[in-house]
């Protein structure tokens, strides 16, 4: 039986890889082992609990305020032993985090073939998002099988010279996860607080937005909230202390916004489903919102998810205060603009990406 090692380390990788781990285990065609790097700790544990995945190995690398050197060096150092001990026939990584890059690099050094889930996303700007665009491009240089979520991501890889035979369009496993979490009957005490007000859901964490851009983002949001007493906002803050400090500094005494701890994925998906609109710089939320028909103002200058922009669900609003202020205000005040953005569409597959990926692995890894 061939041995597959699945490696991930952050919340979004967990949300998109746990359903795949469970599908792999259900089929019983491979010896499946899971290694978490521990790049995230509490935020990943929440995900593992929801999907009932127990890692076989944990590199436990997280330290408060880690920088890119800490993450990369520690993973590279610690995963070498795991790879040498486990001797996997194939390693699966996801997306574009430093966990993904360092794991793929270690596999390359040891000549272990890598499968890349969520391959082929590109902004074309290696500094935006930073360092994710570099990470995913680097993994594409060495990946043996590429699971692209859309035709567009497949074409991005072909343009870079990848052999089309090694690229499969599967949809995004985020949609698989989403199908198991949403319940129309969902209740939560924070939603009782929101009551009949329009709910604005906020997240922000990108490295390139830390500091001043994030202050601009939050100031713009606060101005709009103050002008619209009929809306309430919920912001489950990322555990990065730099994000938390800025959020508390700007929103601290505002009674229209609740700053809360990160939600587990079931809660978060249901909060999205109950929201009026979302303001975020997250990647994964840009994939989930279109199928829920929830307008998203993307507080970034670039996106690797143009499918959602074309579907009208996403609007790129940058990180300048005035632009965010105007766009947020317009979306609250113009019914027409809101309706244009709130039609459900699903550019990221039918929720069966994991099944497709495992079918392909069963064919390819005989
Ligand atoms: C990482 C990924 C980013 C992804 C994001 C998802 C890289 C370079 N960045 O960024 O692509 O979008 O995860 O959220 O791989 N922290 C905790 N507990 C946790 C998680 C984080 O305390 O469970 C704090 C730590 O102080 C840590 C900081 O958050 O130093 C930042 O975490 P880190 O993984 O370095 O970066 P993210 O911004 O989360
Ligand atoms: N999410 C969550 N709890 C939260 C905020 C987000 O479970 O409090 C989920 C969200 O539904 C999406 C993923 O986390 O699936 C996005 O993670 P994040 O924004 O941290 O990373 P990115 O997608 O930008 O890499």
């Amino acid at each position: 039986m061939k041995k597959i090692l699945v490696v991930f380390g952050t919340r979004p990788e967990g949300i998109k890889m746990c359903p795949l781990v469970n599908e792999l285990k259900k089929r019983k065609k491979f010896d499946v082992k899971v290694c978490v790097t521990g790049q995230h700790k509490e935020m990943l544990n929440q995900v593992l609990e929801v999907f009932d995945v127990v890692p076989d190995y944990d590199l436990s690398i997280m330290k408060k305020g880690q920088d890119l050197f800490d993450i990369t060096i520690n993973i590279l150092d610690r995963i070498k032993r795991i790879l040498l001990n486990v001797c996997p026939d194939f390693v699966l990584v996801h997306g574009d985090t430093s966990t993904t890059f360092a794991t793929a690099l270690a596999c390359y050094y040891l000549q272990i073939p890598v499968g890349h889930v969520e391959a082929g996303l590109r902004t074309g700007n290696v500094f935006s998002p930073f360092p994710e665009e570099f990470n995913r491009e680097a993994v594409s240089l060495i990946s043996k099988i590429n699971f692209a979520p859309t035709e567009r991501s497949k074409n991005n890889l072909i343009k870079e010279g990848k052999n089309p035979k090694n690229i499969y369009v599967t949809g995004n496993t985020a949609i698989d996860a989403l199908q198991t979490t949403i319940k129309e009957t969902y209740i939560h005490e924070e939603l009782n607080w929101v009551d009949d007000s329009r709910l604005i859901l906020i997240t922000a964490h990108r490295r390139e937005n830390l500091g001043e851009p994030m202050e601009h983002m939050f100031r713009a949001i606060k101005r709009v909230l103050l002008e619209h007493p009929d809306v309430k906002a919920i912001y489950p803050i990322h555990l990065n202390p730099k994000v938390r400090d800025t959020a508390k500094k700007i929103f601290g005494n505002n009674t229209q916004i609740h700053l809360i701890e990160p939600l587990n994925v079931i809660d978060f998906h249901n909060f999205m489903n109950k929201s009026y609109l979302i303001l975020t710089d997250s990647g994964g939320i840009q994939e989930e919102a279109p199928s829920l028909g929830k307008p998203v103002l993307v507080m970034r200058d670039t996106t690797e998810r143009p499918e959602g922009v074309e579907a009208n669900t996403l609007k790129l609003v940058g990180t300048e205060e005035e632009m965010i202020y105007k766009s947020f205000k317009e979306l609250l005040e113009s019914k027409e603009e809101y309706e244009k953005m709130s039609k459900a569409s699903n550019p990221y597959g039918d929720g069966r990406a994991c099944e497709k990926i495992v079918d392909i692995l069963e064919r390819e890894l005989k």
Side-chain angles (χ1 to χ4, degrees):
M1 198 184 255
K2 290 263 164 80
K3 196 183 274 180
I4 296 184
L5 182 68
V6 185
V7 184
F8 52 91
T10 64
R11 170 171 68 190
E13 292 165 86
I15 292 169
K16 294 168 181 177
M17 287 300 252
C18 285
L20 181 57
V21 168
N22 287 335
E23 181 67 24
L24 278 164
K25 289 193 169 167
K26 192 174 95 190
R27 302 262 192 118
K28 299 193 169 96
K29 293 278 172 53
F30 298 106
D31 177 6
V32 182
K33 298 279 183 255
V34 175
C35 173
V36 296
T37 61
Q39 177 177 340
H40 283 178
K41 197 158 85 186
E42 304 86 344
M43 283 165 58
L44 183 64
N45 288 343
Q46 283 184 316
V47 179
L48 295 170
E49 232 171 75
V50 164
F51 290 98
D52 206 12
V53 168
V54 180
D56 300 281
Y57 309 95
D58 185 348
L59 307 183
S60 302
I61 64 130
M62 200 199 89
K63 54 181 187 188
K64 296 274 168 201
Q66 60 201 6
D67 65 19
L68 296 176
F69 291 88
D70 299 320
I71 306 172
T72 310
I73 291 166
N74 288 322
I75 293 176
L76 210 47
D77 181 39
R78 293 181 202 183
I79 204 155
K80 179 181 171 192
R81 255 171 294 141
I82 305 291
L83 292 172
L84 289 174
N85 285 340
V86 178
C87 292
D89 297 291
F90 202 71
V91 170
L92 283 171
V93 296
H94 180 276
D96 53 23
T97 68
S98 291
T99 285
T100 316
F101 165 65
T103 302
L105 181 61
C107 290
Y108 170 70
Y109 286 161
L110 295 171
Q111 302 275 301
I112 300 168
V114 168
H116 191 196
V117 180
E118 199 181 277
L121 276 66
R122 296 289 184 269
T123 63
N125 177 350
V126 81
F127 292 103
S128 177
F130 173 83
E132 290 81 5
E133 179 80 356
F134 167 83
N135 289 341
R136 56 196 171 215
E137 283 192 31
V139 178
S140 298
L141 285 174
I142 59 121
S143 54
K144 181 141 187 243
I145 308 182
N146 300 282
F147 303 102
T150 63
E151 285 295 333
R152 184 191 296 261
S153 38
K154 175 178 177 178
N155 288 332
N156 288 340
L157 293 169
I158 293 172
K159 274 189 234 149
E160 289 172 14
K162 292 288 295 183
N163 186 343
K165 279 196 198 138
N166 301 330
I167 311 169
Y168 297 89
V169 177
T170 58
N172 197 307
T173 59
I175 306 302
D176 299 28
L178 197 58
Q179 296 205 332
T180 64
T181 50
I182 301 285
K183 299 270 175 297
E184 286 311 321
T185 51
Y186 176 85
I187 48 169
H188 191 286
E189 61 182 31
E190 285 295 339
L191 298 179
N192 291 341
W193 168 69
V194 175
D195 201 15
D196 287 336
S197 303
R198 290 182 287 179
L199 167 62
I200 313 302
L201 192 58
I202 301 166
T203 81
H205 71 84
R206 297 237 83 79
R207 258 188 166 72
E208 67 272 21
N209 290 343
L210 296 175
E212 230 176 85
M214 209 165 267
E215 292 203 8
H216 292 164
M217 283 156 47
F218 295 166
R219 279 211 194 90
I221 295 170
K222 189 173 167 180
R223 278 168 61 196
V224 178
L225 290 180
L226 290 172
E227 288 172 19
H228 297 83
D230 60 315
V231 302
K232 286 185 178 154
I234 295 182
Y235 177 5
I237 323 181
H238 191 289
L239 292 180
N240 187 339
K242 290 184 184 152
V243 177
R244 295 173 88 80
D245 290 350
T246 307
K248 283 180 188 151
K249 180 169 120 188
I250 309 239
F251 294 123
N253 54 6
N254 186 297
T255 53
Q256 272 172 280
I257 183 165
H258 274 186
L259 304 178
I260 62 172
E261 293 305 312
L263 290 165
N264 81 40
V265 61
I266 297 177
D267 291 326
F268 191 78
H269 282 174
N270 282 289
F271 275 48
M272 282 177 79
N273 195 36
K274 301 281 181 194
S275 70
Y276 188 72
L277 67 92
I278 301 163
L279 286 138
T280 190
D281 66 5
S282 158
I285 292 169
Q286 296 179 55
E287 288 151 356
E288 295 161 346
S291 53
L292 298 173
K294 298 297 175 183
V296 182
L297 297 178
V298 182
M299 299 181 290
R300 294 172 49 179
D301 298 320
T302 58
T303 182
E304 57 293 277
R305 276 111 174 156
E307 296 88 349
V309 178
E310 280 156 15
N312 270 332
T313 317
L314 313 181
K315 186 171 173 193
L316 269 185
V317 296
T319 55
E320 297 290 333
E321 183 172 334
E322 279 315 303
M323 180 63 181
I324 297 173
Y325 169 79
K326 274 199 209 124
S327 311
F328 183 15
K329 187 174 154 72
E330 186 187 18
L331 202 48
L332 282 179
E333 293 175 4
S334 157
K335 200 96 197 119
E336 196 189 338
E337 182 64 15
Y338 185 80
E339 306 236 300
K340 203 169 85 196
M341 288 185 72
S342 58
K343 295 200 173 54
S345 83
N346 202 340
Y348 295 108
D350 56 6
R352 294 174 54 233
C354 294
E355 277 177 45
K356 289 177 196 160
I357 292 170
V358 181
D359 287 345
I360 295 159
L361 288 170
E362 286 182 8
R363 279 203 310 274
E364 295 289 326
L365 302 185
K366 273 199 182 127

